[in-house]
Amino acid sequence: MTPRRRHIAHLYLHAAPAEGQYDDIIELMSGVTPHVQAVPPDAVQLDLTSALRYFDLPPFDVVQLVKLRLKALYGMDSSAGLAGNRMLATMAADASAPGHVTWVPAEEAAGWLRPRPVTALPGIGCTTAATLGRYGLHTIGQVADVPAATLQRLLGVGQAQLLAERARGHDPRPVTLTEPPAHLTADLVLDRDCLDPAQHHRAVLGLAERIGQRLRGESRVTRRVTLTVRYADRSSSTRTRTLPEPTDHSPALAAAALGLLASFGLQRARVRVFAIRADDLLPADGAYHQLFLDGGDARARAAEAAADRARRRFGAGAVRPAALAD
């Protein structure tokens, strides 16, 4: 049975994502393919091989779909490379004009590589390029034509083997799924010192909502919430609360965070920064949940799930709690 041809995309974001936004972009990409690798701070790689059958589109059109979602949901432009492996996709992205996609089909990869300078290969630094240049090896095609024994005399066995493989366009590395962080954090830096308790309440409520959305997006729950308040004089206060049960439910997170806020007794404190941290994370499918007979909790969670679907489709600001409405 002939193995399926791989299709790897490398996307460059034309603007550095804001705090927390990069994780949201990774989640967005995961809606296209589960095989997503973060390349911080401003790039991401996707293995589209299994996604092509689902979308029933050519690889180039799936990349355009991803770029369109980035633009529609985050207003972010991107350029991309598409090829049969990670190295070629990265090089194609490097060669792409802003906003464009460079596709290097497998049958054209050798011809596309040959005229390019040897420094275009990932991992080839100035010292190696200078060594090759002294022997008239300036392009990838020239390196690919050199016998393996000659390259080994010039560079050593290990580096020569790696260079020869790259010069021929070979890269067996898989797209590695991004490991989730051990905790999740959301913070809000205010434009100016805030003394209004109502604004303090609104800020903490919004952060709890953001943490809940991220937990649900990653199918995880938290057992502990920490609230940090930083004041105008740069001092800070921190308190932690262990939850009655692991949760990703925004109202439960908000209740815990607001309880911590009340325990500070801030009154008219001059606050500049609020931060919420969710620790002791667990997979959502392995956590227990207390059942209620009145059905109100189930309805609230169903509404929350519907709101999450709306945000994924129409953007983060499509649905928000009434208390956070402008």
Side-chain angles (χ1 to χ4, degrees), residues 117-203:
V118 71
T119 51
L121 289 172
I124 303 302
C126 296
T127 302
T128 302
T131 300
L132 295 172
R134 287 198 296 270
Y135 294 91
L137 303 175
H138 302 286
T139 68
I140 295 175
Q142 290 171 333
V143 172
D145 293 337
V146 173
T150 302
L151 273 183
Q152 291 175 14
R153 286 195 297 271
L154 296 179
L155 303 175
V157 176
Q159 190 173 9
Q161 290 177 343
L162 180 61
L163 179 59
E165 287 295 305
R166 289 178 173 174
R168 291 171 173 80
H170 299 160
D171 181 10
R173 294 175 301 160
V175 171
T176 304
L177 302 185
T178 304
E179 288 294 328
H183 62 270
L184 293 179
T185 302
D187 60 31
L188 177 64
V189 181
L190 303 174
D191 294 333
R192 56 185 178 181
D193 302 338
C194 179
L195 294 83
D196 184 0
Q199 292 299 319
H200 297 171
H201 183 283
R202 179 184 172 93

Side-chain angles (χ1 to χ4, degrees), residues 2 10 42 64 77 92 128 159 162 210 225 246 262 276 294 303 318:
T2 304
H10 185 104
D42 59 356
Q64 294 290 5
D77 293 314
T128 302
Q159 190 173 9
L162 180 61
R210 282 168 54 188
V225 173
I276 291 181
D294 62 1

Side-chain angles (χ1 to χ4, degrees), residues 39-319:
V39 188
D42 59 356
V44 61
Q45 287 190 338
L46 303 88
D47 188 337
L48 302 176
T49 307
S50 61
L52 300 181
R53 183 178 299 176
Y54 176 81
F55 287 99
D56 194 23
L57 291 172
F60 186 87
D61 291 349
V62 176
V63 175
Q64 294 290 5
L65 173 65
V66 172
K67 286 167 54 62
L68 182 62
R69 290 187 177 185
L70 274 174
K71 182 65 174 179
L73 296 181
Y74 298 103
M76 188 170 292
D77 293 314
S78 60
S79 54
L82 176 63
N85 60 53
R86 292 181 56 190
M87 182 195 75
L88 288 172
T90 302
M91 293 177 66
D94 290 337
S96 296
H100 289 240
V101 179
T102 298
W103 186 8
V104 183
E107 60 274 12
E108 300 176 13
W112 186 82
L113 279 173
R114 287 193 67 84
R116 299 188 175 276
V118 71
T119 51
L121 289 172
I124 303 302
C126 296
T127 302
T128 302
T131 300
L132 295 172
R134 287 198 296 270
Y135 294 91
L137 303 175
H138 302 286
T139 68
I140 295 175
Q142 290 171 333
V143 172
D145 293 337
V146 173
T150 302
L151 273 183
Q152 291 175 14
R153 286 195 297 271
L154 296 179
L155 303 175
V157 176
Q159 190 173 9
Q161 290 177 343
L162 180 61
L163 179 59
E165 287 295 305
R166 289 178 173 174
R168 291 171 173 80
H170 299 160
D171 181 10
R173 294 175 301 160
V175 171
T176 304
L177 302 185
T178 304
E179 288 294 328
H183 62 270
L184 293 179
T185 302
D187 60 31
L188 177 64
V189 181
L190 303 174
D191 294 333
R192 56 185 178 181
D193 302 338
C194 179
L195 294 83
D196 184 0
Q199 292 299 319
H200 297 171
H201 183 283
R202 179 184 172 93
V204 171
L205 182 62
L207 291 176
E209 180 69 20
R210 282 168 54 188
I211 287 289
Q213 291 176 28
R214 291 178 61 188
L215 284 169
R216 294 190 297 276
E218 297 183 12
S219 299
R220 294 194 288 174
V221 293
T222 181
R223 290 192 293 199
R224 188 168 59 244
V225 173
T226 300
L227 176 65
T228 299
V229 178
R230 185 170 295 118
Y231 307 105
D233 62 359
R234 298 187 179 181
S235 64
S236 63
S237 301
T238 299
R239 292 194 178 178
T240 299
R241 176 167 295 178
T242 299
L243 302 173
E245 66 178 23
T247 188
D248 59 3
H249 192 33
S250 291
L253 297 169
L258 292 173
L260 291 171
L261 177 64
S263 71
F264 285 127
L266 296 180
Q267 298 179 353
R268 291 187 59 80
R270 298 169 62 88
V271 178
R272 178 53 67 92
V273 179
F274 289 100
I276 291 181
R277 175 179 171 128
D279 289 296
D280 205 359
L281 305 184
L282 299 169
D285 57 5
Y288 62 87
H289 172 59
Q290 177 66 47
L291 298 178
F292 296 90
L293 298 179
D294 62 1
D297 181 69
R299 288 193 294 271
R301 290 177 179 272
E304 189 172 61
D308 288 340
R309 290 193 295 270
R311 292 187 189 99
R312 286 194 293 269
R313 183 172 182 180
F314 300 110
V319 181

